[in-house]
Amino acid sequence: ARGFAPLRIADFQEVLGEPTVALTKLRELCFSGIPFDGGLRCLCWKILLNYLPLEKALWSSLLKKQRDLYSQFLKEMIIQPGIAKANLGVSREDVTLEDHPLNPNPDSRWNTYFKDNEVLLQIDKDVRRLYPDMAFFQRPTDYPCLLILDPQNEFETLRRRVEQTTLKSQTVARNRSGVTNVSSPLKTTPSSLSEYEVLPNGCEAHWEVVERILFIYAKLNPGIAYVQGMNEIVGPLYYTFATDPNSEWKEHAEADTFFCFTNLMAEIRDNFIKSLDDSQCGITYKMEKVYSTLKEKDVELYLKLQEQNIKPQFFAFRWLTLLLSQEFLLPDVIRIWDSLFADDKRFDFLLLVCCAMLTLIRDQLLEGDFTLNMRLLQDYPISDVHLILKKAKELQDSK
């Protein structure tokens, strides 16, 4: 995103400088890529993801309200259960009468606590591996959450919960059935998680912040809770907000990411809900749409993939569900997301990007056998996202 012409930056500043942001104009500008300079991308994403309203006069009160609400979530979902656990030995008689860890009642607070721990362990396993090729997520944040890291706190933090629960039980990995190869070869994981040192007290790594965001999301959305892959959606959002050049925005990256992630998930959550897979809004329908679009644009390539019985779920499941976040390096993912978020039909453009990715390697696919083609599709060979976006735009204009 570097190297934007000053004129282009001025165009963004002009649109964002109006008392009411002209959304159509902003979408057009963002579609071709948003400059990082001056926090423009962070601001545009917050508008495109419906976190900030178009009337600028409302921004400061809305941000204050949402950030206070997020602090409230932290208190209710992380701090209070942590205090209850820490007090377990202190006030024996109250605990026994009211609620205790072996209480079989499904409404028992402890029952909830242990269920939450299962979700937490899965999140923990996934967020520690976020973008292993980048040091960012292992580094300490400049703005650790003081509510939680206050040395006066005696309560059990998420970090401590994970440590204790891991000692007690082996994690049950719950993968989405039918997903082949959720992580792409691009994202190799270090051989053991022990390579990730836990930071000293008073510090927290960026991945721990992402863990908290996902845990709170899972608690507030029990119908979907946490599904593997959500970490790949929250990662680029958080990275973008936590590297905002404006420190007064950067300081609130956690809360702002949480609400933008929640809004984005409201639009794509059907991809993560297995029971909806075959409905009109589910992932199977979208995967088939990639093939029907390809059939319109390049019937020869479509027939070749059909003949080799290469089903879209072998590769398009991951492309669509994770908004291509596993196929490219993080800066390129962020550039693709500029265009996706700017799409007013919400992710129709994503189908065209997938088609563009197929047509750009058509010669290799037409020559390759099943094994070779599967390898190409699961470890996509072209890394130039500008070329891919240009091709997708051509496909869009040729409708």
Side-chain angles (χ1 to χ4, degrees):
R2 301 274 175 212
F4 272 90
L7 273 176
R8 196 156 155 62
I9 294 172
D11 288 344
F12 275 91
Q13 286 166 339
E14 188 186 333
V15 171
L16 294 165
E18 295 292 326
T20 301
V21 176
L23 187 57
T24 313
K25 242 189 211 163
L26 185 69
R27 283 190 193 283
E28 272 171 33
L29 279 175
C30 294
F31 187 80
S32 312
I34 309 169
F36 173 76
D37 312 65
L40 286 173
R41 172 176 281 127
C42 309
L43 187 53
C44 291
W45 278 18
K46 285 170 183 142
I47 296 169
L48 295 173
L49 291 170
N50 304 319
Y51 177 46
L52 286 178
L54 298 176
E55 293 77 29
K56 279 173 69 177
L58 304 173
W59 287 3
S60 58
S61 61
L62 175 120
L63 289 169
K64 184 179 179 339
K65 190 177 109 223
Q66 297 299 82
R67 290 161 179 175
D68 289 350
L69 177 60
Y70 187 75
S71 294
Q72 201 48 45
F73 292 156
L74 290 178
K75 287 174 190 154
E76 284 171 25
M77 289 169 224
I78 293 176
I79 294 175
Q80 281 163 6
I83 291 171
K85 179 83 194 297
N87 288 345
L88 182 58
V90 185
S91 48
R92 267 297 1 152
E93 64 290 348
D94 306 348
V95 172
T96 315
L97 285 173
E98 179 208 345
D99 199 358
H100 59 87
L102 301 176
N103 185 340
N105 177 353
D107 299 332
S108 153
R109 258 202 335 228
W110 288 109
N111 194 23
T112 311
Y113 182 86
F114 294 131
K115 267 215 184 82
D116 287 351
N117 276 359
E118 279 178 37
V119 174
L120 178 59
L121 282 184
Q122 180 63 56
I123 293 173
D124 188 75
K125 223 171 80 184
D126 293 345
V127 293
R128 284 170 186 261
R129 298 187 283 215
L130 257 180
Y131 290 95
D133 50 334
M134 288 177 65
F136 172 81
F137 286 97
Q138 309 309 322
R139 287 203 187 114
T141 156
D142 297 339
Y143 301 100
C145 179
L146 300 178
L147 266 178
I148 285 172
L149 290 184
D150 180 350
Q152 302 303 308
N153 285 340
E154 287 302 313
F155 73 86
E156 189 191 37
T157 58
L158 288 187
R159 187 195 281 186
R160 221 171 296 161
R161 269 174 87 162
V162 169
E163 284 161 9
Q164 292 184 358
T165 316
T166 313
L167 291 175
K168 288 179 202 151
S169 68
Q170 268 324 94
T171 314
V172 184
R174 278 181 306 181
N175 199 340
R176 175 85 173 274
S177 61
V179 180
T180 49
N181 186 10
V182 146
S183 69
S184 96
L186 220 145
K187 319 270 176 184
T188 46
T189 311
S191 51
S192 98
L193 293 181
S194 61
E195 290 176 32
Y196 295 144
E197 293 302 311
V198 171
L199 296 168
N201 281 343
C203 296
E204 60 179 351
H206 288 293
W207 67 261
E208 294 184 78
V209 182
V210 175
E211 174 166 272
R212 215 163 32 234
I213 291 168
L214 286 165
F215 181 72
I216 288 179
Y217 179 81
K219 289 282 290 169
L220 288 171
N221 296 275
I224 181 171
Y226 172 74
V227 181
Q228 221 181 356
M230 287 181 185
N231 54 315
E232 303 290 351
I233 299 286
V234 85
L237 286 176
Y238 174 73
Y239 174 81
T240 300
F241 296 163
T243 53
D244 192 322
N246 299 345
S247 55
E248 65 273 25
W249 287 87
K250 185 174 165 177
E251 187 179 344
H252 297 286
E254 179 175 352
D256 293 349
T257 301
F258 172 80
F259 289 108
C260 287
F261 172 68
T262 300
N263 290 356
L264 180 55
M265 281 304 297
E267 299 183 18
I268 62 171
R269 61 179 281 167
D270 294 347
N271 295 346
F272 287 90
I273 300 176
K274 187 136 185 56
S275 58
L276 290 177
D277 277 1
D278 298 320
S279 71
Q280 276 253 311
C281 53
I283 188 70
T284 309
Y285 177 76
K286 289 177 189 142
M287 290 190 293
E288 281 162 4
K289 198 114 170 48
V290 171
Y291 265 21
S292 60
T293 312
L294 179 66
K295 190 178 178 182
E296 273 171 45
K297 307 286 181 192
D298 190 337
V299 72
E300 186 187 0
L301 180 56
Y302 165 78
L303 290 171
K304 173 75 179 183
L305 295 176
Q306 288 288 66
E307 174 200 318
Q308 291 189 345
N309 204 17
I310 293 179
K311 297 187 174 7
Q313 41 275 45
F314 297 160
F315 60 94
F317 178 89
R318 193 177 71 207
W319 291 7
L320 294 168
T321 309
L322 305 182
L323 306 181
L324 296 168
S325 61
Q326 284 266 291
E327 312 315 310
F328 302 100
L329 296 171
L330 185 59
D332 295 326
V333 172
I334 288 170
R335 169 61 195 92
I336 291 172
W337 284 16
D338 287 346
S339 295
L340 294 185
F341 295 166
D343 174 15
D344 61 339
K345 295 210 175 53
R346 274 317 190 218
F347 309 119
D348 275 12
F349 188 65
L350 178 58
L351 297 172
L352 294 169
V353 174
C354 295
C355 271
M357 287 168 70
L358 294 170
T359 55
L360 285 170
I361 55 168
R362 77 183 299 273
D363 295 349
Q364 288 152 281
L365 290 170
L366 290 172
E367 281 170 26
D369 59 10
F370 176 86
T371 315
L372 202 68
N373 286 346
M374 281 300 295
R375 200 173 303 144
L376 278 174
L377 294 168
Q378 295 215 328
D379 188 7
Y380 189 74
I382 297 177
S383 58
D384 181 355
V385 296
H386 296 280
L387 181 68
I388 294 165
L389 290 168
K390 187 168 167 262
K391 182 73 186 163
K393 184 79 180 85
E394 282 168 20
L395 294 175
Q396 188 180 47
D397 295 342
S398 71
K399 278 191 168 175

